[in-house]
Amino acid sequence: MSVKGGYSQFEKLVYASAKMADLIVEARKAAVTDLPVLIEGDTGTGKELLARAIHFNSTRVDSPIHVQNCGGMLDSTLHSELFGHVRGAYTGATADRLGLFRAADGGTVFLDEISDVSPSFQVSLLRFLQNGEVKPLGSDKLLHANVRIIAASNRPLLEMVEKGEFRRDLYYRLKGFSLSIPALRDRREDIPVLTDFFIEKYAGVVGRRVIGITQSALDRLQAHQYPGNVRELESEIRRAVALAENGGYITERNLSAVFDNLVVAPDVGQQAEMEGGTLKEMVERLEQRVVVGALTRFRWNQSKTADALGLSRVGLANKIKRYGLHDG
């Protein structure tokens, strides 16, 4: 995990919130074991990114990770994808297929939308988790593969177990480690650092120079509920970067219409800090918050911060010294 200018990173997962920090601590513990991992969370929260990060921090890193989305697939198709098939197993099977379990031997297979697999296919998965058995479709041969399973669901599997919709024994096999990624609306501290990360990512893709985002535009981003989670924020920033003035900032007018009528809540913490003391003391407290916020947003790039605040580099350096601010 790297830490740079107020945000942390676990492979390609970027975050600043305490909730995500706690999750990553558990993910790191899971990574160094060989137990199956069950990741639960809403669509768009980054379950596949977390699965890949676990694999790349495990002892299986030198072997492949393969991904299979189980949603909306026929049992025969899913069986062929995971367990493989032999030539002639069904109409159109003109050649043998290895299957992801054997292709990933020694590595990891990530099964997304595990909640969608049928009861009969759950039996096949349970057998594989118990002893690594692989029986290709149309074959009488019983093969084996040494694969770690990381499964993900956007539905609470335990609730499905209680309703009889998912096998209890398979559920407990899958949750050697159980990780739950919080929705973006429940970790709003991550929105500024994710926004900055996506600005840099997509400015490079489209070849535009975007300095950053204005505070008013960021306030609107932070007021949104994000039913699509991080994926929705990423899509919004990609669009905003394309619309922003080259060499300028993302502003409110670059955001989608869904952000137009949001009510930006007042900062309760800031209001509390403003109460009491002389006018000079209150102004200084407010100034310190603004400077800290800008430094964090630009990851302590003092040139960008000074430019955004309308200060000289020397003026910003004096304020950093005056308030005793430190990077990280």
Side-chain angles (χ1 to χ4, degrees), residues 225-240:
Q225 290 299 305
Y226 292 101
N229 289 291
V230 178
R231 191 177 298 156
E232 181 183 356
L233 175 62
E234 181 174 7
S235 178
E236 181 64 30
I237 298 304
R238 181 173 58 222
R239 175 184 179 277

Side-chain angles (χ1 to χ4, degrees), residues 34-38 83 101 109 111 114 121-134 144-151 166-176:
D34 211 30
L35 294 171
V37 180
L38 176 61
F83 293 92
F101 285 152
V109 170
L111 301 176
I114 192 70
F121 197 80
Q122 289 176 34
V123 175
S124 298
L125 281 179
L126 179 62
R127 187 177 299 118
F128 178 76
L129 282 164
Q130 288 172 332
N131 49 35
E133 287 184 3
V134 177
H144 290 83
N146 174 17
V147 170
R148 182 190 203 175
I149 297 294
I150 301 179
F166 199 87
R167 291 184 65 101
R168 188 178 296 273
D169 47 4
L170 177 58
Y171 169 71
Y172 285 112
R173 280 281 181 178
L174 289 171
K175 67 181 295 289

Side-chain angles (χ1 to χ4, degrees), residues 1 8 10 13 15 17-33 50 54 177-179:
M1 178 179 66
S8 304
F10 183 43
L13 276 172
Y15 61 94
S17 65
K19 287 183 178 180
M20 283 298 291
D22 290 343
L23 173 67
I24 298 308
V25 168
E26 293 303 306
R28 285 186 170 278
K29 291 178 182 177
V32 298
T33 75
L50 182 58
I54 290 171
F177 263 87
S178 183
L179 304 173

Side-chain angles (χ1 to χ4, degrees), residues 90-102:
Y90 57 87
T91 303
T94 57
D96 291 353
R97 185 183 184 89
L98 188 63
L100 292 187
F101 285 152
R102 292 174 64 203

